[in-house]
Protein backbone atom coordinates (compact mmCIF):
# COMPACT_ATOMS: atom_id res chain seq x y z
CA UNK A 1 0.00 0.00 0.00
CA UNK A 2 1.35 3.44 -0.98
CA UNK A 3 1.82 5.65 2.05
CA UNK A 4 2.94 8.60 -0.10
CA UNK A 5 1.75 9.44 -3.62
CA UNK A 6 3.13 12.32 -5.66
CA UNK A 7 1.21 13.14 -8.84
CA UNK A 8 2.26 15.59 -11.58
CA UNK A 9 3.94 17.94 -9.12
CA UNK A 10 4.99 21.30 -10.53
CA UNK A 11 6.52 24.27 -8.72
CA UNK A 12 7.23 27.64 -10.31
CA UNK A 13 8.77 30.50 -8.36
CA UNK A 14 8.30 34.09 -9.47
CA UNK A 15 11.06 36.49 -8.45
CA UNK A 16 10.03 39.59 -6.55
CA UNK A 17 11.57 42.02 -9.05
CA UNK A 18 11.01 41.65 -12.75
CA UNK A 19 8.59 38.76 -12.48
CA UNK A 20 11.08 36.20 -13.79
CA UNK A 21 9.76 32.66 -13.42
CA UNK A 22 11.95 29.79 -12.27
CA UNK A 23 10.62 26.26 -12.64
CA UNK A 24 11.97 24.15 -9.76
CA UNK A 25 9.77 21.10 -10.41
CA UNK A 26 8.20 20.33 -13.77
CA UNK A 27 6.41 16.97 -13.57
CA UNK A 28 7.28 14.79 -10.58
CA UNK A 29 5.51 11.45 -10.18
CA UNK A 30 6.34 8.66 -7.73
CA UNK A 31 4.96 6.75 -4.78
CA UNK A 32 6.46 5.30 -1.60
CA UNK A 33 5.11 2.06 -0.17
CA UNK A 34 4.68 1.48 3.54
CA UNK A 35 7.96 0.15 4.95
CA UNK A 36 10.12 1.38 2.06
CA UNK A 37 13.45 3.18 2.43
CA UNK A 38 13.86 5.56 -0.51
CA UNK A 39 16.70 7.96 -1.27
CA UNK A 40 16.40 10.95 -3.60
CA UNK A 41 19.51 12.19 -5.38
CA UNK A 42 20.26 14.96 -7.84
CA UNK A 43 22.63 17.82 -8.52
CA UNK A 44 22.28 21.15 -6.71
CA UNK A 45 19.38 23.02 -8.29
CA UNK A 46 17.68 19.82 -9.49
CA UNK A 47 14.64 20.42 -7.27
CA UNK A 48 15.35 18.02 -4.36
CA UNK A 49 14.97 20.60 -1.59
CA UNK A 50 11.85 22.09 -3.17
CA UNK A 51 10.34 18.61 -3.39
CA UNK A 52 11.16 17.86 0.25
CA UNK A 53 9.62 21.16 1.40
CA UNK A 54 6.41 20.35 -0.46
CA UNK A 55 6.28 16.82 0.96
CA UNK A 56 6.76 18.34 4.43
CA UNK A 57 3.85 20.73 3.71
CA UNK A 58 6.23 23.66 4.30
CA UNK A 59 5.61 24.84 0.73
CA UNK A 60 2.74 24.45 -1.71
CA UNK A 61 3.04 23.20 -5.29
CA UNK A 62 1.99 25.34 -8.23
CA UNK A 63 0.04 22.33 -9.46
CA UNK A 64 -0.17 18.61 -8.81
CA UNK A 65 -1.05 16.64 -5.70
CA UNK A 66 0.60 14.96 -2.73
CA UNK A 67 -1.29 12.25 -0.85
CA UNK A 68 -0.15 11.04 2.56
CA UNK A 69 -2.11 8.01 3.76
CA UNK A 70 -4.65 8.73 0.99
CA UNK A 71 -5.25 12.28 2.24
CA UNK A 72 -4.61 15.12 -0.19
CA UNK A 73 -2.24 17.37 1.75
CA UNK A 74 -3.44 20.47 -0.12
CA UNK A 75 -6.89 20.01 1.44
CA UNK A 76 -5.60 20.09 5.03
CA UNK A 77 -6.78 23.43 6.51
CA UNK A 78 -3.98 25.87 7.37
CA UNK A 79 -4.89 25.82 11.08
CA UNK A 80 -4.56 22.01 11.13
CA UNK A 81 -1.30 21.78 9.16
CA UNK A 82 1.09 21.92 12.12
CA UNK A 83 -0.71 19.16 14.02
CA UNK A 84 -1.13 17.08 10.83
CA UNK A 85 2.62 17.40 10.21
CA UNK A 86 3.44 16.46 13.82
CA UNK A 87 1.18 13.41 13.82
CA UNK A 88 2.25 12.00 10.46
CA UNK A 89 5.78 13.13 9.70
CA UNK A 90 9.12 12.86 11.49
CA UNK A 91 12.01 15.10 10.44
CA UNK A 92 15.78 14.59 10.54
CA UNK A 93 17.82 17.60 9.38
CA UNK A 94 21.46 18.04 8.43
CA UNK A 95 22.05 20.60 11.20
CA UNK A 96 20.06 18.65 13.84
CA UNK A 97 17.73 21.60 14.72
CA UNK A 98 18.13 21.08 18.48
CA UNK A 99 17.53 23.94 20.91
CA UNK A 100 20.67 24.65 22.96
CA UNK A 101 18.63 25.94 25.92
CA UNK A 102 16.78 22.59 26.18
CA UNK A 103 18.26 19.33 27.42
CA UNK A 104 18.49 16.46 24.93
CA UNK A 105 15.47 14.89 26.64
CA UNK A 106 13.39 18.07 26.40
CA UNK A 107 14.33 18.48 22.74
CA UNK A 108 13.06 14.96 22.08
CA UNK A 109 9.87 15.63 24.06
CA UNK A 110 9.06 18.87 22.21
CA UNK A 111 6.70 17.45 19.53
CA UNK A 112 4.83 15.50 22.23
CA UNK A 113 4.52 18.63 24.38
CA UNK A 114 3.07 20.48 21.39
CA UNK A 115 0.64 17.58 20.89
CA UNK A 116 -0.51 17.84 24.52
CA UNK A 117 0.78 14.42 25.66
CA UNK A 118 1.10 13.73 29.39
CA UNK A 119 4.57 13.47 30.91
CA UNK A 120 3.99 9.82 31.84
CA UNK A 121 3.28 9.03 28.18
CA UNK A 122 6.46 10.87 27.14
CA UNK A 123 8.57 8.87 29.59
CA UNK A 124 6.98 5.64 28.43
CA UNK A 125 7.90 6.41 24.83
CA UNK A 126 11.41 7.75 25.32
CA UNK A 127 12.90 4.91 27.38
CA UNK A 128 12.88 2.13 24.73
CA UNK A 129 13.88 4.58 21.97
CA UNK A 130 16.78 6.05 23.95
CA UNK A 131 18.04 2.55 24.68
CA UNK A 132 17.75 1.48 21.04
CA UNK A 133 19.55 4.63 19.85
CA UNK A 134 22.25 4.46 22.51
CA UNK A 135 21.56 7.90 23.99
CA UNK A 136 20.36 6.98 27.49
CA UNK A 137 23.47 8.50 29.09
CA UNK A 138 23.08 11.92 27.44
CA UNK A 139 19.37 12.66 27.97
CA UNK A 140 20.05 15.19 30.75
CA UNK A 141 22.88 16.89 28.85
CA UNK A 142 22.53 19.87 26.53
CA UNK A 143 23.24 19.80 22.78
CA UNK A 144 26.49 21.78 23.15
CA UNK A 145 27.78 19.10 25.52
CA UNK A 146 27.53 16.17 23.09
CA UNK A 147 29.04 15.10 19.76
CA UNK A 148 27.51 15.59 16.31
CA UNK A 149 26.70 11.89 16.08
CA UNK A 150 24.91 11.99 19.43
CA UNK A 151 22.99 15.11 18.37
CA UNK A 152 21.81 13.36 15.22
CA UNK A 153 20.73 10.28 17.19
CA UNK A 154 18.76 12.60 19.46
CA UNK A 155 17.18 14.15 16.35
CA UNK A 156 16.23 10.66 15.11
CA UNK A 157 14.72 9.91 18.51
CA UNK A 158 12.68 13.14 18.31
CA UNK A 159 11.49 12.09 14.83
CA UNK A 160 10.50 8.60 15.98
CA UNK A 161 8.84 9.47 19.29
CA UNK A 162 5.65 10.69 17.60
CA UNK A 163 5.30 7.30 15.83
CA UNK A 164 5.21 8.96 12.39
CA UNK A 165 3.90 7.42 9.20
CA UNK A 166 6.94 8.71 7.31
CA UNK A 167 10.38 10.04 8.23
CA UNK A 168 11.74 12.78 5.96
CA UNK A 169 15.53 13.07 6.23
CA UNK A 170 17.36 16.02 4.65
CA UNK A 171 21.09 15.29 4.16
CA UNK A 172 21.19 13.51 7.54
CA UNK A 173 24.90 12.62 7.30
CA UNK A 174 25.99 16.00 5.91
CA UNK A 175 27.38 17.37 9.19
CA UNK A 176 28.83 14.10 10.51
CA UNK A 177 32.28 12.55 10.35
CA UNK A 178 32.65 9.16 8.66
CA UNK A 179 32.29 7.10 11.85
CA UNK A 180 29.15 8.95 13.03
CA UNK A 181 27.78 8.81 9.48
CA UNK A 182 28.24 5.03 9.29
CA UNK A 183 26.58 4.65 12.68
CA UNK A 184 23.58 6.74 11.62
CA UNK A 185 23.17 4.81 8.36
CA UNK A 186 23.23 1.52 10.29
CA UNK A 187 20.53 2.99 12.53
CA UNK A 188 18.39 3.98 9.53
CA UNK A 189 18.67 0.46 8.13
CA UNK A 190 17.68 -1.03 11.48
CA UNK A 191 14.61 1.15 12.02
CA UNK A 192 13.56 0.56 8.42
CA UNK A 193 13.89 -3.20 8.94
CA UNK A 194 11.52 -2.77 11.89
CA UNK A 195 8.93 -1.26 9.55
CA UNK A 196 9.60 2.50 9.60
CA UNK A 197 9.12 4.20 6.21
CA UNK A 198 11.97 6.59 5.34
CA UNK A 199 12.44 9.10 2.52
CA UNK A 200 15.93 10.62 2.46
CA UNK A 201 17.34 13.42 0.32
CA UNK A 202 21.12 13.13 0.01
CA UNK A 203 24.18 14.02 -2.06
CA UNK A 204 26.06 11.10 -0.50
CA UNK A 205 26.40 7.99 -2.65
CA UNK A 206 27.32 6.04 0.48
CA UNK A 207 24.16 7.16 2.29
CA UNK A 208 21.95 6.43 -0.73
CA UNK A 209 23.48 2.95 -1.10
CA UNK A 210 21.83 1.90 2.18
CA UNK A 211 18.36 2.66 0.76
CA UNK A 212 16.23 0.04 -0.97
CA UNK A 213 15.41 2.35 -3.88
CA UNK A 214 17.02 5.49 -5.26
CA UNK A 215 15.20 8.15 -7.30
CA UNK A 216 17.29 10.53 -9.40
CA UNK A 217 15.93 14.03 -9.97
CA UNK A 218 17.11 16.02 -12.97
CA UNK A 219 15.64 19.26 -14.33
CA UNK A 220 12.71 19.02 -11.95
CA UNK A 221 11.64 15.49 -12.91
CA UNK A 222 12.25 11.92 -11.77
CA UNK A 223 14.83 11.05 -14.41
CA UNK A 224 15.72 7.51 -13.34
CA UNK A 225 15.37 5.04 -10.47
CA UNK A 226 17.17 1.91 -9.33
CA UNK A 227 16.27 -0.80 -6.83
CA UNK A 228 18.68 -2.43 -4.43
CA UNK A 229 17.05 -5.84 -4.50
CA UNK A 230 19.52 -8.43 -3.28
CA UNK A 231 22.55 -6.24 -4.03
CA UNK A 232 24.98 -5.45 -1.21
CA UNK A 233 25.52 -1.82 -0.19
CA UNK A 234 28.87 -1.99 -2.00
CA UNK A 235 27.18 -3.16 -5.21
CA UNK A 236 24.48 -0.52 -4.77
CA UNK A 237 27.20 2.12 -4.33
CA UNK A 238 28.60 1.14 -7.73
CA UNK A 239 25.15 1.14 -9.36
CA UNK A 240 24.46 4.65 -8.04
CA UNK A 241 27.88 5.93 -9.13
CA UNK A 242 27.37 4.50 -12.64
CA UNK A 243 23.88 6.02 -12.84
CA UNK A 244 25.10 9.47 -11.77
CA UNK A 245 27.82 9.29 -14.44
CA UNK A 246 25.25 8.21 -17.04
CA UNK A 247 22.91 11.08 -16.12
CA UNK A 248 25.73 13.62 -16.13
CA UNK A 249 26.74 12.53 -19.64
CA UNK A 250 23.19 12.62 -20.99
CA UNK A 251 22.14 9.00 -20.67
CA UNK A 252 18.62 7.74 -21.38
CA UNK A 253 15.94 8.84 -18.95
CA UNK A 254 13.80 6.42 -16.97
CA UNK A 255 10.26 5.71 -18.18
Amino acid sequence: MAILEVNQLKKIYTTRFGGTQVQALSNVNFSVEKGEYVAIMGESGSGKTTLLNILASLDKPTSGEVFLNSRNMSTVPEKELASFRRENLGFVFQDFNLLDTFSIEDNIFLPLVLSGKHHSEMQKRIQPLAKKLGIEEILKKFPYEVSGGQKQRAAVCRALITKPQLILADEPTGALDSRASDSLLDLFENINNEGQTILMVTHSVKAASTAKRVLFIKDGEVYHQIYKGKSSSKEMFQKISDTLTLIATGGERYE
Side-chain angles (χ1 to χ4, degrees):
M1 183 185 79
I3 199 168
L4 178 72
E5 290 185 62
V6 178
N7 300 325
Q8 298 180 320
L9 213 60
K10 181 186 288 188
K11 180 64 179 182
I12 299 173
Y13 292 102
T14 303
T15 56
R16 186 179 298 179
F17 303 107
T20 305
Q21 291 193 332
V22 177
Q23 186 153 318
L25 300 174
S26 56
N27 183 31
V28 176
N29 297 277
F30 69 93
S31 62
V32 176
E33 301 292 314
K34 186 173 178 61
E36 266 202 293
Y37 178 8
V38 178
I40 295 178
M41 301 193 78
E43 297 176 345
S44 295
S46 61
K48 301 188 308 299
T49 300
T50 298
L51 175 60
L52 197 69
N53 286 339
I54 291 173
L55 298 182
S57 69
L58 299 173
D59 197 1
K60 292 183 181 293
T62 303
S63 63
E65 297 171 317
V66 176
F67 292 88
L68 182 62
N69 261 354
S70 301
R71 183 166 185 186
N72 189 336
M73 293 176 71
S74 66
T75 66
V76 180
E78 197 70 35
K79 62 182 180 180
E80 293 178 23
L81 258 183
S83 60
F84 178 81
R85 198 182 294 129
R86 258 195 322 270
E87 290 166 9
N88 292 280
L89 300 171
F91 299 95
V92 180
F93 303 96
Q94 177 177 340
D95 57 359
F96 322 126
N97 279 19
L98 298 175
L99 300 173
D100 273 340
T101 53
F102 281 27
S103 68
I104 294 294
E105 183 176 65
D106 286 341
N107 268 284
I108 294 168
F109 282 159
L110 191 56
L112 297 184
V113 171
L114 295 172
S115 297
K117 301 293 184 188
H118 291 294
H119 191 260
S120 59
E121 173 66 16
M122 297 182 201
Q123 288 293 340
K124 182 180 175 183
R125 290 195 190 188
I126 199 173
Q127 294 308 321
L129 280 176
K131 185 175 182 179
K132 180 191 298 182
L133 301 177
I135 57 172
E136 292 170 292
E137 302 300 317
I138 65 165
L139 290 178
K140 301 302 180 184
K141 292 187 176 183
F142 288 82
Y144 55 82
E145 297 179 302
V146 303
S147 70
Q150 289 171 321
K151 287 180 187 177
Q152 196 60 298
R153 282 175 173 266
V156 172
C157 190
R158 181 184 56 193
L160 288 171
I161 203 165
T162 59
K163 302 178 181 177
Q165 297 292 324
L166 175 67
I167 282 185
L168 296 175
D170 185 10
E171 299 286 0
T173 62
L176 302 178
D177 61 32
S178 59
R179 181 178 294 181
S181 176
D182 289 348
S183 178
L184 181 74
L185 293 174
D186 286 344
L187 177 61
F188 269 28
E189 284 192 276
N190 289 338
I191 62 176
N192 172 249
N193 288 336
E194 292 173 0
Q196 178 63 59
T197 312
I198 302 172
L199 181 66
M200 171 177 64
V201 166
T202 184
H203 278 105
S204 167
V205 176
K206 187 172 186 178
S209 66
T210 62
K212 293 176 180 174
R213 178 163 58 114
V214 182
L215 300 175
F216 298 87
I217 304 287
K218 182 179 180 181
D219 300 328
E221 294 186 61
V222 176
Y223 189 83
H224 192 69
Q225 68 174 336
I226 57 176
Y227 289 85
K228 188 172 188 175
K230 294 182 179 179
S231 302
S232 66
S233 290
K234 186 176 181 180
E235 291 168 333
M236 189 66 166
F237 185 102
Q238 191 59 53
K239 281 184 185 180
I240 294 168
S241 298
D242 291 345
T243 301
L244 289 172
T245 301
L246 190 68
I247 291 172
T249 54
E252 293 183 11
R253 90 180 279 268
Y254 163 80
E255 295 295 347

